Amino acid sequence: MRLRTLATPFLAILMLSGCGYIGEPLPPALNIPVAITDLRALEYGDHLLVEFTAPALSTEGLGLTALRGVELRVGPTEPNFNLDRWAPGARRIDAEVLKPGAVSKEIPIREFVGKELVVAARAIGPKGRTGAWSNLAVVAIVNPLEKPRDLKAVASADGVQLSWAGSHTKFRIYRGTRDEEPAPIAESAAAAYADTSAQFETPYRYFVQAIQEKAESEVSDSVRLTPEDKFPPAVPAGLAAITGPDSIELTWERNTEPDFRAYRIYRAPEGGVFTQIAASVDTPNYSDKTVEPKKKYRYTVTSFDLKGNESRPSAEVEVLAPEKP
């Protein structure tokens, strides 16, 4: 019994040693970053703005938590352009990118005005090994676009009217609110724009930017406006009057404004002043049954909206009240 007890641990150790064998050791990871695939470049003001995502994976499929940097190449294009043989005048720019993620780099362009540039980038892994070149971005560099100035915003019945000073032929308009970051809402071929989607009582912030192909100016200084509804509906049109057996019947054209509320009716005796005889009429017609027979009356109609803004009076009509039947 004693011999069996002593031998059991020894055999167990031998068995465990055999199970622990895991084969030949793996070679160390090279940590070469995969190629950047989303590089984009455009002219912004007097700089070339280059943006891309620094890779988070190696070519071995392993995660990268750190990088040694990114090599950017910017240079003129040529007929037989080759990533291994850049044209004379190309510049190498080393960006201090220490971890994967979004990267933005600005490069002065004065020396490149009038030239077509090609831009590429490749990441440098934590062991100093470079990945493959990214996709290429090609940009024709023009003289820097002038920043729009003197931006103004004025509320109108149709929304917000924008105007600014600028010498270019195409502009991009940005709008933001208290809860939303500014975003493009339209482009304009003139130095003016009507934002008809703006809502009353909503605070807005506007910017404008000149654009041309892959070139953009700096955005203008912002202007803020909370448009207030001080604008009445349209003046009622087409007012007409006919006599009934014991009344005067009025009709006119219907208002179509989204915030339209109702109509007010005004009457004046011959040679007298107008007084209101109906404060809120929903439909474009009215029957006046309070007239005196064989007397002349003049009528006019106004419209008003949900905020109480009242239009100017319509054109007047004059009619002779009928005799009593």
Side-chain angles (χ1 to χ4, degrees), residues 88 113 133 150 168 172 187 194 273 321:
V113 170
W133 285 108
D150 300 329
H168 300 290
R172 183 177 294 132
E187 294 181 358
V273 297

PDB file of all heavy atoms in Angstrom, residues 88 113 133 150 168 172 187 194 273 321:
ATOM      1  N   PRO A  88      10.205  65.073 -58.970  1.00  0.00           N
ATOM      2  CA  PRO A  88      10.991  66.107 -58.283  1.00  0.00           C
ATOM      3  C   PRO A  88      10.061  67.163 -57.689  1.00  0.00           C
ATOM      4  O   PRO A  88       9.068  67.540 -58.293  1.00  0.00           O
ATOM      5  CB  PRO A  88      11.849  66.694 -59.410  1.00  0.00           C
ATOM      6  CG  PRO A  88      11.924  65.618 -60.447  1.00  0.00           C
ATOM      7  CD  PRO A  88      10.618  64.900 -60.382  1.00  0.00           C
ATOM      8  N   VAL A 113       0.530  76.075 -56.148  1.00  0.00           N
ATOM      9  CA  VAL A 113      -0.564  76.695 -56.890  1.00  0.00           C
ATOM     10  C   VAL A 113      -0.348  76.508 -58.391  1.00  0.00           C
ATOM     11  O   VAL A 113       0.742  76.736 -58.914  1.00  0.00           O
ATOM     12  CB  VAL A 113      -0.682  78.194 -56.539  1.00  0.00           C
ATOM     13  CG1 VAL A 113      -1.662  78.891 -57.490  1.00  0.00           C
ATOM     14  CG2 VAL A 113      -1.141  78.367 -55.101  1.00  0.00           C
ATOM     15  N   TRP A 133       1.332  51.607 -49.279  1.00  0.00           N
ATOM     16  CA  TRP A 133       0.787  52.930 -49.540  1.00  0.00           C
ATOM     17  C   TRP A 133      -0.738  52.889 -49.560  1.00  0.00           C
ATOM     18  O   TRP A 133      -1.347  51.905 -49.944  1.00  0.00           O
ATOM     19  CB  TRP A 133       1.296  53.472 -50.881  1.00  0.00           C
ATOM     20  CG  TRP A 133       2.728  53.938 -50.847  1.00  0.00           C
ATOM     21  CD1 TRP A 133       3.788  53.319 -51.418  1.00  0.00           C
ATOM     22  CD2 TRP A 133       3.232  55.114 -50.215  1.00  0.00           C
ATOM     23  NE1 TRP A 133       4.946  54.031 -51.188  1.00  0.00           N
ATOM     24  CE2 TRP A 133       4.625  55.141 -50.454  1.00  0.00           C
ATOM     25  CE3 TRP A 133       2.656  56.143 -49.484  1.00  0.00           C
ATOM     26  CZ2 TRP A 133       5.448  56.157 -49.974  1.00  0.00           C
ATOM     27  CZ3 TRP A 133       3.480  57.163 -49.006  1.00  0.00           C
ATOM     28  CH2 TRP A 133       4.856  57.164 -49.253  1.00  0.00           C
ATOM     29  N   ASP A 150     -19.129  89.580 -44.385  1.00  0.00           N
ATOM     30  CA  ASP A 150     -20.344  90.394 -44.183  1.00  0.00           C
ATOM     31  C   ASP A 150     -21.624  89.574 -44.340  1.00  0.00           C
ATOM     32  O   ASP A 150     -22.593  90.012 -44.972  1.00  0.00           O
ATOM     33  CB  ASP A 150     -20.382  91.583 -45.153  1.00  0.00           C
ATOM     34  CG  ASP A 150     -19.179  92.508 -44.982  1.00  0.00           C
ATOM     35  OD1 ASP A 150     -18.690  92.610 -43.849  1.00  0.00           O
ATOM     36  OD2 ASP A 150     -18.739  93.104 -45.979  1.00  0.00           O
ATOM     37  N   HIS A 168     -16.666  84.763 -55.677  1.00  0.00           N
ATOM     38  CA  HIS A 168     -16.700  83.483 -56.382  1.00  0.00           C
ATOM     39  C   HIS A 168     -18.103  83.184 -56.916  1.00  0.00           C
ATOM     40  O   HIS A 168     -19.062  83.914 -56.645  1.00  0.00           O
ATOM     41  CB  HIS A 168     -16.192  82.376 -55.465  1.00  0.00           C
ATOM     42  CG  HIS A 168     -14.782  82.611 -55.010  1.00  0.00           C
ATOM     43  ND1 HIS A 168     -13.700  82.526 -55.851  1.00  0.00           N
ATOM     44  CD2 HIS A 168     -14.293  82.986 -53.804  1.00  0.00           C
ATOM     45  CE1 HIS A 168     -12.598  82.815 -55.181  1.00  0.00           C
ATOM     46  NE2 HIS A 168     -12.923  83.103 -53.931  1.00  0.00           N
ATOM     47  N   ARG A 172     -21.382  77.293 -50.550  1.00  0.00           N
ATOM     48  CA  ARG A 172     -22.076  76.274 -49.750  1.00  0.00           C
ATOM     49  C   ARG A 172     -22.576  76.932 -48.467  1.00  0.00           C
ATOM     50  O   ARG A 172     -21.831  77.671 -47.809  1.00  0.00           O
ATOM     51  CB  ARG A 172     -21.143  75.110 -49.432  1.00  0.00           C
ATOM     52  CG  ARG A 172     -21.801  73.975 -48.660  1.00  0.00           C
ATOM     53  CD  ARG A 172     -20.829  72.818 -48.444  1.00  0.00           C
ATOM     54  NE  ARG A 172     -20.474  72.199 -49.709  1.00  0.00           N
ATOM     55  CZ  ARG A 172     -19.229  71.913 -50.080  1.00  0.00           C
ATOM     56  NH1 ARG A 172     -18.214  72.234 -49.283  1.00  0.00           N
ATOM     57  NH2 ARG A 172     -18.987  71.345 -51.245  1.00  0.00           N
ATOM     58  N   GLU A 187     -26.409  74.755 -51.808  1.00  0.00           N
ATOM     59  CA  GLU A 187     -25.370  75.474 -52.532  1.00  0.00           C
ATOM     60  C   GLU A 187     -26.034  76.561 -53.366  1.00  0.00           C
ATOM     61  O   GLU A 187     -27.187  76.415 -53.784  1.00  0.00           O
ATOM     62  CB  GLU A 187     -24.558  74.525 -53.414  1.00  0.00           C
ATOM     63  CG  GLU A 187     -23.751  73.521 -52.600  1.00  0.00           C
ATOM     64  CD  GLU A 187     -22.911  72.592 -53.466  1.00  0.00           C
ATOM     65  OE1 GLU A 187     -22.983  72.710 -54.727  1.00  0.00           O
ATOM     66  OE2 GLU A 187     -22.195  71.749 -52.901  1.00  0.00           O
ATOM     67  N   ALA A 194     -32.201  81.935 -49.849  1.00  0.00           N
ATOM     68  CA  ALA A 194     -33.415  81.985 -49.036  1.00  0.00           C
ATOM     69  C   ALA A 194     -33.615  80.628 -48.381  1.00  0.00           C
ATOM     70  O   ALA A 194     -33.849  79.632 -49.074  1.00  0.00           O
ATOM     71  CB  ALA A 194     -34.621  82.343 -49.892  1.00  0.00           C
ATOM     72  N   VAL A 273     -67.441 105.347 -41.470  1.00  0.00           N
ATOM     73  CA  VAL A 273     -66.168 104.666 -41.230  1.00  0.00           C
ATOM     74  C   VAL A 273     -66.413 103.174 -41.035  1.00  0.00           C
ATOM     75  O   VAL A 273     -67.511 102.742 -40.674  1.00  0.00           O
ATOM     76  CB  VAL A 273     -65.459 105.241 -39.988  1.00  0.00           C
ATOM     77  CG1 VAL A 273     -65.117 106.708 -40.209  1.00  0.00           C
ATOM     78  CG2 VAL A 273     -66.312 105.076 -38.748  1.00  0.00           C
ATOM     79  N   ALA A 321     -78.227  97.507 -50.234  1.00  0.00           N
ATOM     80  CA  ALA A 321     -79.005  96.477 -49.556  1.00  0.00           C
ATOM     81  C   ALA A 321     -80.384  96.341 -50.225  1.00  0.00           C
ATOM     82  O   ALA A 321     -80.971  97.342 -50.678  1.00  0.00           O
ATOM     83  CB  ALA A 321     -79.170  96.812 -48.080  1.00  0.00           C
TER      84      ALA A 321
END
